[in-house]
Structures are given as C-alpha cells and as structure tokens.
Amino acid sequence: MKKWLLALVAVPALLVGCTEKEEPAAPPTDEELHIVEVEILTPTEVAVNEKIELAAHVIQGEKNIDDASVEFEVWESGKRDEGQMLDGVLDKEGVYKADVTFDHDGVYFMYAHTTANSMHVMPKQQITAGTPDMTQVLPEGEDDKMNTMDHGKDDSDITEHEKSETNHE
C-alpha cells in the first residue's frame, strides 16, 4: 500500500518537473513592425504605340525589398476580362518593372499585385493613353460582376421572408 501511495505522489511530481517551459515570444523584428508599401512610378498619361514602363517601388519601413513578387495587371476601362498579367522584374533597389504598349487611345487601369514578407498589397492606378474620347470610356466598376453594396444579390435571390423583413425596418 505504501508503494502505491508513493507512486501516486512521485509520478505527478516527476511529470511536473519534466514539463517543457515555454520560452517567451521573441520581440518582433523591424521588418515585422512595418507594412509593405508600394509606390507606383508609372506616369498617369502616356503616348499611344510607345513602350511604357510599368514600375513599382517596394519598401518596408525604409528598406528596399528586393525579393518581392510583383505582377502588373493591366486592362482597358470596361474590359477587365480582357486584361493581361505581366511579371515585374527587379530593376534596382526595390524597383520592379515590366513593359507594355497601348495600341490605341483609351483609359487603362493597372494593379501592382505585390507580395513581400508574407504581406500582399495591390495599389491601383489609372493610365490615360493618347487622347481618348471620354464620352466613350466606360466608368470603372461597370465591368465588375458584383455590386459591393448588395453583395451580388438581386431581387430574384431574396426570399419573400427577407423582403418582408426589409420592409419592416
């Protein structure tokens, strides 16, 4: 009986003594304290039928990021489905570039999809090529499939119960 009592006291005491102590979390590094920022360097007005440099400067804090992944998404206003993705190539000190040529007057848009240090940012810029007839330019957003205000629901998606609740508010 004494052996059992000793075992009941000794085993938990040994287990408590063998538990692994957790080390305090390491303080965040300077890199972790700053968000990744992307400055678009591409001009907002360009010529038609000339090679244009799409360019983005990637920094975190005050440090240039030379190991980011940068893809430039470019499309003509109202035609996002017909857009193209261009890989950005590191040129110098955190600046990534890709070339594109706009073959006709128009309003174009560009996202600089950037991933660096487990963060993703995607600044957007409008680019006017030549002298487009602004009355023919589709407003940005018409090519979107979903209205952000109604989250894609049209009246046919709403049940009679939801309609009656909306009318009572």
Side-chain angles (χ1 to χ4, degrees), residues 61-106:
E62 294 182 20
K63 181 182 172 193
N64 292 317
I65 303 297
D66 293 339
D67 61 351
S69 169
V70 179
E71 283 186 302
F72 296 100
E73 179 182 7
V74 182
W75 70 95
E76 186 173 3
S77 177
K79 299 179 181 179
R80 185 156 185 200
D81 293 345
E82 299 171 22
Q84 58 182 323
M85 296 294 281
L86 304 166
D87 289 329
V89 177
L90 180 64
D91 182 52
K92 62 178 180 182
E93 300 173 347
V95 177
Y96 295 81
K97 294 182 177 179
D99 293 332
V100 69
T101 302
F102 299 115
D103 63 359
H104 62 275
D105 293 341

Side-chain angles (χ1 to χ4, degrees), residues 15-89:
L15 290 176
V16 169
C18 294
T19 59
E20 197 173 312
K21 291 185 179 182
E22 289 186 30
E23 294 294 321
T29 64
D30 285 343
E31 242 177 41
E32 295 170 337
L33 293 175
H34 299 286
I35 62 169
V36 171
E37 296 179 45
V38 178
E39 177 188 4
I40 295 177
L41 305 175
T42 305
T44 57
E45 295 183 2
V46 298
V48 176
N49 291 320
E50 286 186 18
K51 187 177 357 176
I52 307 302
E53 268 189 352
L54 305 176
H57 183 205
V58 183
I59 59 171
Q60 190 171 27
E62 294 182 20
K63 181 182 172 193
N64 292 317
I65 303 297
D66 293 339
D67 61 351
S69 169
V70 179
E71 283 186 302
F72 296 100
E73 179 182 7
V74 182
W75 70 95
E76 186 173 3
S77 177
K79 299 179 181 179
R80 185 156 185 200
D81 293 345
E82 299 171 22
Q84 58 182 323
M85 296 294 281
L86 304 166
D87 289 329
V89 177

Side-chain angles (χ1 to χ4, degrees), residues 134-169:
M134 297 307 280
T135 63
Q136 300 298 312
V137 173
L138 296 171
E140 178 61 10
E142 268 190 28
D143 61 331
D144 291 340
K145 302 284 188 252
M146 181 171 32
N147 180 332
T148 56
M149 294 303 289
D150 67 9
H151 302 288
K153 279 190 173 182
D154 61 21
D155 285 342
S156 65
D157 293 334
I158 300 173
T159 65
E160 288 302 317
H161 179 73
E162 289 173 319
K163 284 180 186 177
S164 66
E165 282 184 350
T166 303
N167 293 335
H168 292 286
E169 290 179 351

